[in-house]
């Protein structure tokens, strides 16, 4: 009996197991599975849940590609399809079932949200019954029926303008001529002269005319031309089939003078779009390519107005699925003075003569040589201006430059190649880069030495001859100076005559750790908080006494940006406080970057010596002396070469401000000044700028 009872229990268990296995799926479970796949956008698997009737209307490939294309084109994100199972299944014995579901998603035009009802029906496949979704196009979006299409309409926002401190436009919205031809009217003989005037190739013109959309009598645009280019426009219009029309474009009124600062815009590339696809950019957008146009692009761009429409077949009215209003870009006002920017650029880029006065300073090794300037040609270099009291950046200039208007309209292949291959590197933004500062570094070394106690300003140092080395362990290496003599040298004389040996000795006396600590207090090795990205000023390796000595007078591996240089001189104007440079008009003025960086008495002492650099007849910047306009400043020559004993090139520096009204400080660096006047080139140029502004 016990054996029989055991067998009976086993049989009953098997019956229950098989009964459980053979249970038919419920429609709500099947639809829940379908919803889960939808939320994961697994469209191919969703197709397997469709009813036979639905599959007759659309193939798996069509179903999958349609969903994918719509979701990609509309930039669908945060998809959430919500279906709540009913508490009780009342449809067990029915052949059909219906359930409501909620759909919510974000799109390029904002949120799309709707409620829809789904139909399921029971079907037998492979001798098994199951539930399948009786899908139709309204599952994608309500009122989307067969034959309807989904369209996008966009309204381009007005790009914000870049303005100077006075509201003068540096990058503004204007118009240019769009030049084109009437399809079917251009004669073969006219293609060559047209291509030449437009700086295109005949192949490019023929390609434009053979586009699939082109039909006879239609205007085919070829190129945009500045409205200032009147002579070329007249020559183009003289060709019979050529027509012009005015179109909106970005205009840069100050051209080369502000090109590196402001930059330019151009059509967005596929790579740029891929990086920004989640930020509202479209393939029709223009985007900042350089300068502030690029740095502030998202602020300037605004947000496109977008409308998603179901375009109904026949006479039915179109349906708006989602709509986002256009938001124009914001204007950006700078602290820059456009007129000063133009004056400085004109002076910096003005041609200089060949061999000039002897360089009043010595240099030293190491660095990267700049591109050479042809004797008598326009120099390469950079200049910047700042109000050292409140921190306003008044000018940021780089030379040589390029015309941002032409860059925005599009350089020809030859023009672009010429810019890239130009040895003087007109595409380089020099004011954002780091350079060896040479002797303009000496007031900073003086401040560090005074603070550390290693430098006594009145102490006379007996320095003899034009070269010096600490001891024989330096081998053949010597620090050199130009103003060799037998008189003892103190801080004042060392600054006035720019004595390399004095500052090399003081750097050694300060010591590596204290010297590095002092420079870091001045902002070296610190990322500068400035709207335009600047190279971090660096100290470099000080692994030897020679490297430390060279760094004391601005050589070695020391690198500074010209903006940082201006800021580092502000303690000598502000009782020892280092002022933060600002560029945006919305920024607070007179932000103290380093409070009491230099004790006020020491700051006043160095400032007095900087005045003597210009005022004293033997001072290295005496050429900048002007009656009733007292300048204080410092010259510098950075010698760029790989090792001592070889001939390198020199960068000439000068930084100056008016001691009576210290509201304008100008710094300038001119490349390749060796044998052409050295630091006296920027001295003369900076003096000329101040004279024009008096």
């Amino acid at each position: 009996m016990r054996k029989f009872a055991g067998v009976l229990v086993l049989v009953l268990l098997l019956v229950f197991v098989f009964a459980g296995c053979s249970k038919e799926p419920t429609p709500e479970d099947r639809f829940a599975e379908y919803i889960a796949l939808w939320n994961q956008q697994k469209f191919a698997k969703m197709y397997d849940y469709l009813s036979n009737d639905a599959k007759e209307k659309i193939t798996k490939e069509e179903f999958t590609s349609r969903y994918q294309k719509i979701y990609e084109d509309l930039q669908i994100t945060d998809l959430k399809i919500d279906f709540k199972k009913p508490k009780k299944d009342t449809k067990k014995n029915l052949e059909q079932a219906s359930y409501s579901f909620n759909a919510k998603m974000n799109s390029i035009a904002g949120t799309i949200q709707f409620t829809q009802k789904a139909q399921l029906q029971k079907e037998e496949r492979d001798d098994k019954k199951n539930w399948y979704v009786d899908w139709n196009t309204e599952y994608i979006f309500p009122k989307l029926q067969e034959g309807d299409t989904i369209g996008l309409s966009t309204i381009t926002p007005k790009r914000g303008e870049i303005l100077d401190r006075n509201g003068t436009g540096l990058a503004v919205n204007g118009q240019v001529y769009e030049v084109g031809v009437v399809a079917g009217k251009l004669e073969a003989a006219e293609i060559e002269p047209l291509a030449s005037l437009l700086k295109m190739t005949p192949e490019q013109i023929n390609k434009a005319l053979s586009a699939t959309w082109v039909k006879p009598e239609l205007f085919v645009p070829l190129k945009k031309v500045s409205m200032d280019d009147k002579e070329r426009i007249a020559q183009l219009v003289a060709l019979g089939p050529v027509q012009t029309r005015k179109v909106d474009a970005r205009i840069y009124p100050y051209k080369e003078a502000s090109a590196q600062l402001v930059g330019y815009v151009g059509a967005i590339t596929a790579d740029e779009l891929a990086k920004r696809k989640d930020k509202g950019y479209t393939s029709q957008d223009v985007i900042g390519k350089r300068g502030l146009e690029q740095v502030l692009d998202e602020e300037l761009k605004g947000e496109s107005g977008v409308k998603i429409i179901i375009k109904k077949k026949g006479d039915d009215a179109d349906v708006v699925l989602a709509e986002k209003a256009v938001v124009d870009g914001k204007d950006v006002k700078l602290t820059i003075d456009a007129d000063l920017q133009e004056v400085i650029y004109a002076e910096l880029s003005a041609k200089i003569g060949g061999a000039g006065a002897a360089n009043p300073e010595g240099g030293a090794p190491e660095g990267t040589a700049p591109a050479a300037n042809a004797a008598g040609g326009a120099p390469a270099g950079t200049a910047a201006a700042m109000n050292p009291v409140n921190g306003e950046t008044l000018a940021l200039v780089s030379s040589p430059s390029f015309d941002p208007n032409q860059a925005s309209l599009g350089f020809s292949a030859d023009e672009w190649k010429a810019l890239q291959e130009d040895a003087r590197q007109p595409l380089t933004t020099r004011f954002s880069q780091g350079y060896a500062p040479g002797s303009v570094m000496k007031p900073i070394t003086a401040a560090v030495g005074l603070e550390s106690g290693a430098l006594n300003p009145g102490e006379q140092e007996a320095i003899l001859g034009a070269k010096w080395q600490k001891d024989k362990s330096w081998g053949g290496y010597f620090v050199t100076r130009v103003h060799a003599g037998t008189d003892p040298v103190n801080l004042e004389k060392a600054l006035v005559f720019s004595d390399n040996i004095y500052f090399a000795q003081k750097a050694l006396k300060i010591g590596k750790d204290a010297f590095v600590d002092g420079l870091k207090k001045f902002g070296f090795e610190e990322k500068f908080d400035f709207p335009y990205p600047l190279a971090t000023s660096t100290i470099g390796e000080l692994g030897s006494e020679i490297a430390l000595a060279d760094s004391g007078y601005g050589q070695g591996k020391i690198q500074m940006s010209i903006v940082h240089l201006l800021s580092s001189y502000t303690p000598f104007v502000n009782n020892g406080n280092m002022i933060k440079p600002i560029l945006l008009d919305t920024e607070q003025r007179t932000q103290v970057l380093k409070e009491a960086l230099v004790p006020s008495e020491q700051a006043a002492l160095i400032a007095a010596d900087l005045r003597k650099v210009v005022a004293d007849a033997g001072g290295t910047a005496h050429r900048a002396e002007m009656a009733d306009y007292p300048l204080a400043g410092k010259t510098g020559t950075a010698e760029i070469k790989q090792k001592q004993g070889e001939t390198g090139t020199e960068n000439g520096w000068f930084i100056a401000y008016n001691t009576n009204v210290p509201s304008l400080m100008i710094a300038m660096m001119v490349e390749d000044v060796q044998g052409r006047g050295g630091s006296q080139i920027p001295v003369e140029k900076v003096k000329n700028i101040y004279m024009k502004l008096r």
Side-chain angles (χ1 to χ4, degrees):
M1 285 293 295
R2 289 181 181 179
K3 184 176 180 181
F4 176 76
V7 172
L8 180 61
V9 170
L10 180 60
V11 169
L12 289 173
L13 285 173
L14 290 173
V15 168
F16 283 124
V17 169
F18 283 116
C21 291
S22 62
K23 183 181 179 182
E24 288 186 3
T26 64
E28 58 265 32
D29 287 340
R30 284 283 286 176
F31 191 56
E33 293 172 7
Y34 179 83
I35 293 295
L37 294 172
W38 194 349
N39 279 316
Q40 298 173 61
Q41 299 186 39
K42 294 183 177 180
F43 305 122
K45 290 186 178 180
M46 286 168 61
Y47 186 81
D48 295 336
Y49 283 70
L50 299 195
S51 68
N52 289 325
D53 289 342
K55 288 184 175 181
E56 287 180 3
K57 297 174 183 177
I58 190 168
T59 66
K60 188 171 187 175
E61 183 180 356
E62 290 170 340
F63 179 88
T64 303
S65 63
R66 187 166 192 181
Y67 266 107
Q68 287 177 339
K69 179 171 175 51
I70 288 174
Y71 280 23
E72 287 174 5
D73 290 349
L74 303 187
Q75 298 183 23
I76 298 298
T77 59
D78 302 324
L79 175 68
K80 185 176 182 181
I81 312 298
D82 185 38
F83 162 63
K84 292 183 179 179
K85 291 183 180 181
K87 292 181 178 180
K88 291 184 178 180
D89 182 11
T90 60
K91 306 178 178 65
K92 283 185 177 179
N93 301 316
L94 300 179
E95 298 298 311
Q96 293 183 334
S98 64
Y99 300 106
S100 293
F101 65 90
N102 298 312
K104 185 177 181 180
M105 62 199 78
N106 288 329
S107 74
I108 192 173
T111 301
I112 298 175
Q113 189 169 0
F114 60 89
T115 298
Q116 186 64 284
K117 182 167 284 189
Q119 300 291 333
L120 284 80
Q121 60 186 41
K122 188 183 292 186
E123 294 180 356
E124 185 174 335
R125 297 180 189 177
D126 300 325
D127 298 326
K128 292 181 181 179
K129 288 187 177 182
N130 212 330
W131 289 90
Y132 296 91
V133 179
D134 196 13
W135 181 89
N136 63 63
T137 52
E138 293 198 28
Y139 283 35
I140 302 177
F141 296 121
K143 299 184 180 179
L144 177 65
Q145 298 174 343
E146 289 296 337
D148 294 345
T149 58
I150 295 177
L152 275 176
S153 65
T154 60
I155 302 174
T156 302
K158 178 183 175 184
R159 190 173 180 85
E161 297 186 331
I162 301 176
L163 311 171
D164 87 334
R165 63 190 295 108
N166 301 309
T168 303
L170 295 170
V172 299
N173 299 313
Q175 290 188 317
V176 297
Y177 283 120
E178 187 170 57
V179 179
V181 295
V182 177
K185 299 291 186 181
L186 187 65
E187 301 291 339
E190 295 171 316
I191 294 179
E192 192 67 45
L194 178 59
S196 178
L197 285 169
L198 291 179
K199 299 179 181 179
M200 299 174 68
T201 64
E203 291 75 19
Q204 289 173 320
I205 292 177
N206 286 326
K207 183 178 179 180
L209 291 171
S210 61
T212 55
W213 64 268
V214 174
K215 296 179 181 180
E217 304 300 326
L218 284 181
F219 175 81
V220 181
L222 295 175
K223 199 164 189 179
K224 294 175 182 176
V225 178
S226 170
M227 297 182 76
D228 292 336
D229 203 346
K230 296 179 181 178
E231 183 178 347
R232 184 154 66 121
I233 291 293
Q235 291 175 320
L236 284 163
V237 174
L239 295 172
V242 172
Q243 294 183 0
T244 63
R245 61 185 182 187
K246 293 180 181 179
V247 295
D248 294 336
R250 198 69 159 174
I251 306 297
Y252 303 96
Y254 285 84
K255 299 182 179 179
E256 288 85 355
S258 65
Q260 308 291 357
L261 170 62
V262 178
Y264 60 90
V265 297
I268 193 169
T269 65
D271 287 343
E272 290 168 336
L273 181 59
K275 294 176 183 177
R276 296 167 177 81
K277 64 180 181 180
D278 58 342
K279 295 184 177 181
Y281 285 80
T282 69
S283 58
Q284 284 75 45
D285 284 334
V286 297
I287 190 172
K289 298 291 185 177
R290 296 176 67 89
L292 291 175
E293 289 274 37
Q294 182 181 51
V295 174
L296 304 175
D297 188 74
E298 289 185 28
E299 183 175 352
L300 293 166
K301 173 187 173 294
E303 297 179 19
S304 297
V306 186
K307 186 185 291 186
I308 301 174
I309 305 169
I310 296 177
K311 296 182 178 181
K312 305 296 290 183
K313 63 180 179 180
D315 298 328
D316 292 342
D318 292 344
V319 177
V320 177
L321 274 177
E323 185 173 6
K324 183 176 72 174
V326 65
V327 178
D328 290 334
K330 296 178 182 178
D331 291 345
V332 174
K333 192 174 183 181
L334 309 177
T335 59
I336 294 291
D337 185 315
D339 291 337
L340 178 61
Q341 177 90 9
E342 195 168 44
V343 168
I344 292 178
Y345 175 77
E347 185 61 43
L348 174 61
S349 59
K351 291 183 178 181
I352 58 177
N359 181 20
E361 300 171 293
E366 300 184 325
T368 302
N373 296 306
T382 183
M386 176 185 178
N387 182 327
V389 177
N390 65 17
E392 292 175 338
T393 303
L394 302 173
L396 291 170
V397 177
S398 183
S399 178
S401 188
F402 60 92
D403 184 356
N405 294 293
Q406 188 58 46
S408 184
L409 295 175
F411 286 120
S412 69
D414 289 342
E415 288 171 331
W416 183 243
K417 182 180 179 182
L419 278 173
Q420 290 181 309
E421 295 180 353
D422 189 331
R424 296 169 63 242
Q425 301 175 359
L427 295 173
T428 298
T429 304
R430 287 171 165 83
F431 61 75
S432 68
Q433 296 194 329
Y435 294 89
S439 295
V440 293
M441 173 79 179
K442 290 172 181 174
I444 301 173
T445 300
V448 174
L450 289 169
E451 177 65 16
S452 69
L455 193 157
N456 182 339
E459 186 177 358
Q460 304 282 336
E461 300 288 349
I463 301 174
L464 302 176
K467 62 181 184 178
W468 170 86
Q469 61 177 194
K470 180 187 175 185
D471 52 42
K472 296 299 181 181
S473 67
W474 285 18
Y477 189 87
F478 291 85
V479 175
T480 62
R481 62 177 181 168
V482 172
H483 291 273
T486 57
D487 293 338
V489 180
N490 60 11
L491 176 60
E492 176 187 317
K493 289 183 178 180
L495 285 171
V496 170
F497 299 117
S498 202
D499 195 309
N500 290 344
I501 295 176
Y502 178 90
F503 285 97
Q505 292 178 346
K506 294 307 174 185
L508 291 173
K509 189 173 181 181
I510 293 168
K512 174 184 174 181
D513 292 343
F515 184 70
V516 169
D517 183 61
L519 293 190
K520 286 184 176 180
K521 289 179 180 178
F522 267 89
F524 282 84
E525 305 293 346
E526 183 179 315
K527 186 177 180 181
F528 228 54
D529 181 18
F530 195 68
Y532 198 110
L534 302 173
T536 298
S537 296
T538 56
I539 301 168
E541 293 294 328
L542 298 179
S544 68
E545 289 181 328
I546 291 174
L548 177 58
D550 282 344
S551 298
Y553 56 95
Q555 293 280 176
K557 295 291 186 180
I558 295 284
Q559 297 274 300
M560 291 186 80
S561 73
I562 198 167
V563 177
H564 182 204
L565 175 65
L566 286 168
S567 182
S568 69
Y569 269 59
T570 59
F572 312 133
V573 177
N574 296 287
N575 296 315
N577 290 333
M578 183 175 176
I579 303 301
K580 179 183 183 296
I582 62 173
L583 182 59
L584 302 179
D585 186 65
T586 53
E587 294 180 273
Q588 179 186 338
R589 269 57 171 180
T590 319
Q591 296 182 51
V592 177
L593 190 62
K594 309 277 185 177
E595 188 173 3
L597 174 62
V598 182
S600 57
E601 300 84 358
Q602 296 175 6
L605 176 70
I606 295 173
D609 290 345
L610 293 178
R611 170 66 188 129
K612 292 172 184 176
V613 171
V614 180
D616 283 13
T620 57
H622 186 61
R623 286 189 183 186
E625 180 69 359
M626 293 177 282
D628 303 321
Y629 202 85
L631 289 181
K634 184 70 190 77
T635 58
T637 304
E639 190 175 2
I640 313 299
K641 58 185 181 180
Q642 298 304 315
K643 59 184 179 180
Q644 194 174 48
E646 71 177 19
T647 301
T649 58
E650 293 178 352
N651 293 342
W653 290 85
F654 185 47
I655 180 170
Y657 60 92
N658 184 325
T659 58
N660 288 348
V661 187
S663 59
L664 176 62
M665 181 183 288
I666 299 174
M668 181 180 289
M669 185 276 290
V670 179
E671 296 179 7
D672 193 21
V673 296
Q674 187 174 23
R676 309 171 72 190
S679 61
Q680 296 309 293
I681 293 175
V683 168
E684 292 281 3
K685 286 181 175 290
V686 171
K687 177 184 177 181
N688 290 342
I689 293 168
Y690 277 113
M691 290 182 68
K692 291 175 182 177
L693 299 174
R694 290 176 65 180

